[in-house]
Coordinates of all heavy atoms in Angstrom, one line a residue:
Q278 N 33.1 12.5 -3.5 CA 34.0 13.5 -4.1 C 34.0 13.4 -5.7 O 34.3 14.4 -6.3 CB 35.4 13.3 -3.6 CG 35.6 13.7 -2.2 CD 35.2 15.1 -1.8 OE1 35.5 16.0 -2.6 NE2 34.5 15.3 -0.7
N279 N 33.6 12.2 -6.2 CA 33.6 12.1 -7.7 C 32.3 12.6 -8.3 O 32.2 12.7 -9.5 CB 33.7 10.6 -8.0 CG 35.1 10.1 -7.7 OD1 36.1 10.8 -7.8 ND2 35.2 8.8 -7.4
L280 N 31.4 13.1 -7.5 CA 30.1 13.7 -8.0 C 30.4 15.0 -8.6 O 31.4 15.7 -8.2 CB 29.1 13.8 -6.9 CG 28.6 12.5 -6.3 CD1 27.6 12.8 -5.2 CD2 27.9 11.6 -7.3
W281 N 29.6 15.4 -9.6 CA 29.8 16.8 -10.2 C 29.8 17.8 -9.1 O 28.9 17.8 -8.2 CB 28.7 17.0 -11.2 CG 28.9 16.2 -12.5 CD1 30.0 15.4 -12.8 CD2 28.0 16.2 -13.6 NE1 29.8 14.9 -14.0 CE2 28.6 15.3 -14.6 CE3 26.8 16.8 -13.9 CZ2 28.0 15.1 -15.8 CZ3 26.2 16.5 -15.1 CH2 26.8 15.7 -16.0
P282 N 30.6 18.8 -9.2 CA 30.6 20.0 -8.2 C 29.3 20.7 -8.2 O 28.8 21.1 -7.1 CB 31.7 20.9 -8.7 CG 32.7 20.0 -9.5 CD 31.8 18.9 -10.1
V283 N 28.6 20.8 -9.3 CA 27.3 21.5 -9.4 C 26.3 20.7 -8.5 O 25.4 21.4 -7.9 CB 26.8 21.6 -10.8 CG1 26.5 20.2 -11.4 CG2 25.6 22.5 -10.9
V284 N 26.4 19.4 -8.4 CA 25.4 18.6 -7.6 C 25.7 19.0 -6.1 O 24.7 19.2 -5.3 CB 25.6 17.1 -7.8 CG1 24.8 16.3 -6.8 CG2 25.2 16.8 -9.3
R285 N 26.9 19.1 -5.7 CA 27.2 19.4 -4.3 C 26.7 20.9 -4.0 O 26.3 21.2 -2.9 CB 28.7 19.3 -4.0 CG 29.2 17.9 -4.1 CD 30.6 17.7 -3.4 NE 31.6 18.4 -4.2 CZ 32.3 17.8 -5.2 NH1 32.0 16.5 -5.5 NH2 33.2 18.4 -5.8
T286 N 26.8 21.8 -5.0 CA 26.4 23.1 -4.8 C 24.9 23.2 -4.7 O 24.3 23.9 -3.8 CB 26.8 24.0 -6.0 OG1 28.2 24.0 -6.2 CG2 26.3 25.4 -5.9
W287 N 24.1 22.4 -5.5 CA 22.7 22.4 -5.4 C 22.3 21.9 -4.0 O 21.4 22.4 -3.4 CB 22.1 21.4 -6.4 CG 22.2 21.9 -7.8 CD1 22.4 23.2 -8.2 CD2 22.0 21.2 -9.0 NE1 22.4 23.3 -9.6 CE2 22.1 22.1 -10.1 CE3 21.8 19.8 -9.3 CZ2 22.0 21.6 -11.5 CZ3 21.7 19.4 -10.6 CH2 21.8 20.3 -11.7
H288 N 23.0 20.8 -3.6 CA 22.6 20.2 -2.3 C 22.9 21.2 -1.1 O 22.0 21.3 -0.2 CB 23.4 18.9 -2.1 CG 23.1 18.2 -0.8 ND1 23.8 18.4 0.4 CD2 22.1 17.4 -0.4 CE1 23.3 17.7 1.4 NE2 22.3 17.1 0.9
S289 N 24.0 21.9 -1.2 CA 24.3 22.8 -0.1 C 23.3 23.9 0.0 O 23.0 24.4 1.1 CB 25.7 23.4 -0.3 OG 25.8 24.1 -1.5
R290 N 22.7 24.3 -1.1 CA 21.8 25.5 -1.1 C 20.4 25.1 -0.5 O 19.7 25.9 0.0 CB 21.6 26.0 -2.5 CG 22.8 26.7 -3.1 CD 22.6 27.2 -4.5 NE 23.8 28.0 -5.0 CZ 23.9 28.4 -6.2 NH1 22.9 28.2 -7.1 NH2 25.0 29.1 -6.6
V291 N 20.1 23.8 -0.6 CA 18.7 23.4 -0.2 C 18.8 22.4 1.0 O 17.8 21.9 1.4 CB 17.9 22.7 -1.3 CG1 17.7 23.7 -2.4 CG2 18.6 21.5 -1.8
D292 N 20.0 22.3 1.6 CA 20.2 21.3 2.6 C 19.3 21.6 3.9 O 18.8 20.7 4.5 CB 21.7 21.2 3.1 CG 22.0 20.1 4.1 OD1 21.3 19.1 3.9 OD2 22.8 20.3 5.0
K293 N 19.1 22.9 4.1 CA 18.3 23.3 5.3 C 16.9 22.9 5.2 O 16.2 22.8 6.2 CB 18.4 24.8 5.5 CG 17.9 25.6 4.4 CD 18.1 27.1 4.6 CE 17.5 28.0 3.5 NZ 17.7 29.4 3.7
F294 N 16.4 22.6 4.0 CA 15.0 22.2 3.9 C 14.8 20.7 4.0 O 13.6 20.2 4.0 CB 14.5 22.6 2.5 CG 14.5 24.1 2.2 CD1 15.4 24.6 1.3 CD2 13.7 24.9 2.9 CE1 15.5 26.0 1.1 CE2 13.8 26.3 2.7 CZ 14.7 26.8 1.8
N295 N 15.9 19.9 4.2 CA 15.8 18.5 4.4 C 15.0 17.7 3.4 O 14.1 16.9 3.6 CB 15.1 18.2 5.8 CG 16.0 18.6 7.0 OD1 17.2 18.3 6.9 ND2 15.5 19.2 8.0
L296 N 15.2 18.1 2.1 CA 14.5 17.5 1.0 C 15.0 16.0 0.8 O 14.2 15.1 0.4 CB 14.7 18.3 -0.3 CG 14.2 19.7 -0.3 CD1 14.5 20.4 -1.7 CD2 12.7 19.7 -0.1
V297 N 16.3 15.8 1.0 CA 16.9 14.5 0.9 C 17.7 14.3 2.2 O 18.3 15.2 2.7 CB 17.7 14.3 -0.4 CG1 16.8 14.3 -1.6 CG2 18.7 15.4 -0.5
N298 N 17.9 13.0 2.6 CA 18.6 12.7 3.8 C 19.4 11.4 3.6 O 19.0 10.5 2.9 CB 17.7 12.6 5.0 CG 17.0 13.9 5.3 OD1 17.5 14.8 5.9 ND2 15.8 14.0 4.8
S299 N 20.4 11.2 4.4 CA 21.1 9.9 4.5 C 20.2 9.1 5.4 O 19.3 9.6 6.1 CB 22.5 10.1 5.1 OG 22.4 10.7 6.4
Y300 N 20.4 7.8 5.4 CA 19.6 6.9 6.1 C 20.4 5.7 6.7 O 21.2 5.2 6.0 CB 18.4 6.3 5.2 CG 17.4 5.6 6.0 CD1 16.4 6.2 6.7 CD2 17.4 4.2 6.0 CE1 15.5 5.6 7.4 CE2 16.5 3.5 6.7 CZ 15.5 4.2 7.4 OH 14.6 3.5 8.2
G301 N 20.1 5.3 7.9 CA 20.8 4.2 8.5 C 20.2 3.8 9.8 O 20.6 4.4 10.9
L302 N 19.2 2.9 9.8 CA 18.5 2.6 11.0 C 19.3 1.6 11.8 O 19.9 0.6 11.3 CB 17.1 1.9 10.6 CG 16.2 1.7 11.8 CD1 15.7 3.0 12.4 CD2 15.0 0.9 11.3
F303 N 19.4 1.8 13.2 CA 20.1 1.0 14.1 C 21.5 0.7 13.6 O 22.0 -0.4 13.5 CB 19.4 -0.4 14.3 CG 18.1 -0.2 15.1 CD1 16.9 -0.2 14.6 CD2 18.2 -0.1 16.5 CE1 15.7 -0.1 15.3 CE2 17.1 0.0 17.3 CZ 15.8 0.0 16.7
R304 N 22.2 1.9 13.4 CA 23.6 1.8 13.0 C 24.5 1.1 14.1 O 25.3 0.3 13.7 CB 24.1 3.3 12.9 CG 25.5 3.4 12.3 CD 26.0 4.8 12.3 NE 25.0 5.6 11.6 CZ 25.2 6.0 10.3 NH1 26.2 5.6 9.6 NH2 24.3 6.7 9.7
R305 N 24.2 1.4 15.3 CA 24.9 0.7 16.4 C 23.8 0.2 17.4 O 22.9 0.9 17.7 CB 25.9 1.6 17.1 CG 27.0 2.1 16.3 CD 28.1 2.9 17.1 NE 28.7 2.0 18.0 CZ 29.8 1.3 17.7 NH1 30.3 1.3 16.6 NH2 30.3 0.5 18.7
M306 N 24.0 -1.0 17.9 CA 23.1 -1.5 18.8 C 23.3 -1.0 20.3 O 24.4 -1.2 20.8 CB 23.1 -3.1 18.8 CG 22.0 -3.8 19.5 SD 20.4 -3.3 18.8 CE 20.5 -3.8 17.1
T307 N 22.3 -0.4 20.8 CA 22.4 0.1 22.2 C 21.8 -0.9 23.1 O 21.1 -1.8 22.7 CB 21.6 1.5 22.3 OG1 20.2 1.2 22.0 CG2 22.2 2.5 21.4
G308 N 22.0 -0.7 24.4 CA 21.4 -1.5 25.4 C 22.2 -2.8 25.7 O 21.6 -3.8 26.2
V309 N 23.4 -2.9 25.3 CA 24.2 -4.1 25.7 C 24.4 -4.1 27.2 O 24.9 -3.2 27.8 CB 25.6 -4.0 25.0 CG1 26.4 -5.3 25.4 CG2 25.5 -3.9 23.5
G310 N 23.9 -5.2 27.8 CA 24.0 -5.3 29.3 C 22.7 -4.8 29.9 O 22.7 -4.7 31.2
G311 N 21.7 -4.5 29.1 CA 20.4 -4.0 29.7 C 20.1 -2.6 29.1 O 21.0 -1.8 28.8
R312 N 18.8 -2.4 28.9 CA 18.4 -1.1 28.3 C 18.4 0.0 29.3 O 17.9 -0.2 30.4 CB 17.0 -1.2 27.6 CG 15.9 -1.5 28.6 CD 14.5 -1.5 28.0 NE 14.1 -0.2 27.5 CZ 13.5 0.1 26.3 NH1 13.3 -0.9 25.5 NH2 13.2 1.3 25.9
P313 N 19.0 1.1 29.0 CA 19.0 2.3 29.9 C 17.6 2.9 29.9 O 17.0 3.1 28.8 CB 20.0 3.2 29.4 CG 20.1 2.9 27.9 CD 19.8 1.4 27.8
E314 N 17.0 3.1 31.1 CA 15.6 3.6 31.2 C 15.5 4.6 32.3 O 16.0 4.4 33.4 CB 14.6 2.4 31.4 CG 13.2 2.8 31.1 CD 13.0 3.0 29.6 OE1 13.2 2.1 28.8 OE2 12.6 4.2 29.3
L315 N 14.8 5.7 32.0 CA 14.7 6.8 32.9 C 13.4 6.7 33.7 O 12.3 6.4 33.1 CB 14.7 8.2 32.2 CG 16.0 8.7 31.7 CD1 15.9 10.0 31.0 CD2 17.0 8.8 32.9
V316 N 13.4 6.9 35.0 CA 12.2 6.9 35.9 C 12.2 8.3 36.6 O 13.1 8.6 37.2 CB 12.3 5.8 36.9 CG1 11.1 5.9 37.9 CG2 12.2 4.4 36.2
V317 N 11.1 9.0 36.3 CA 10.9 10.3 36.9 C 10.1 10.2 38.2 O 9.0 9.5 38.1 CB 10.2 11.3 35.9 CG1 10.0 12.6 36.5 CG2 11.1 11.4 34.6
E318 N 10.5 10.8 39.3 CA 9.8 10.6 40.6 C 9.6 12.0 41.2 O 10.4 12.9 41.0 CB 10.6 9.7 41.5 CG 10.8 8.3 41.0 CD 11.8 7.5 41.9 OE1 12.9 8.0 42.0 OE2 11.3 6.5 42.5
G319 N 8.6 12.1 42.0 CA 8.3 13.3 42.7 C 8.1 13.1 44.2 O 7.7 12.0 44.5
S320 N 8.3 14.1 45.0 CA 8.2 13.9 46.4 C 8.1 15.3 47.1 O 8.5 16.3 46.5 CB 9.4 13.2 47.0 OG 9.2 13.1 48.5
N321 N 7.5 15.3 48.3 CA 7.4 16.6 49.0 C 8.5 16.6 50.1 O 8.6 17.6 50.9 CB 6.0 16.7 49.7 CG 4.9 16.9 48.7 OD1 5.1 17.7 47.8 ND2 3.8 16.2 48.9
S322 N 9.4 15.6 50.1 CA 10.5 15.6 51.0 C 11.7 15.0 50.2 O 11.6 14.2 49.4 CB 10.2 14.7 52.2 OG 11.4 14.5 53.0
L323 N 12.9 15.6 50.6 CA 14.1 15.1 49.9 C 14.5 13.8 50.4 O 15.3 13.1 49.7 CB 15.2 16.1 50.2 CG 15.2 17.5 49.4 CD1 16.3 18.4 49.9 CD2 15.4 17.2 47.9

């Protein structure tokens, strides 16, 4: 909020182009108690 208003205006006008982004890898650790994993299966019978 302490940034110049013109900076926020510039950013809002070009935000859709993703020129700059926030960053935060592994903000929260997933997979506590085991990693969730999807298995896709096919069959000719239910």
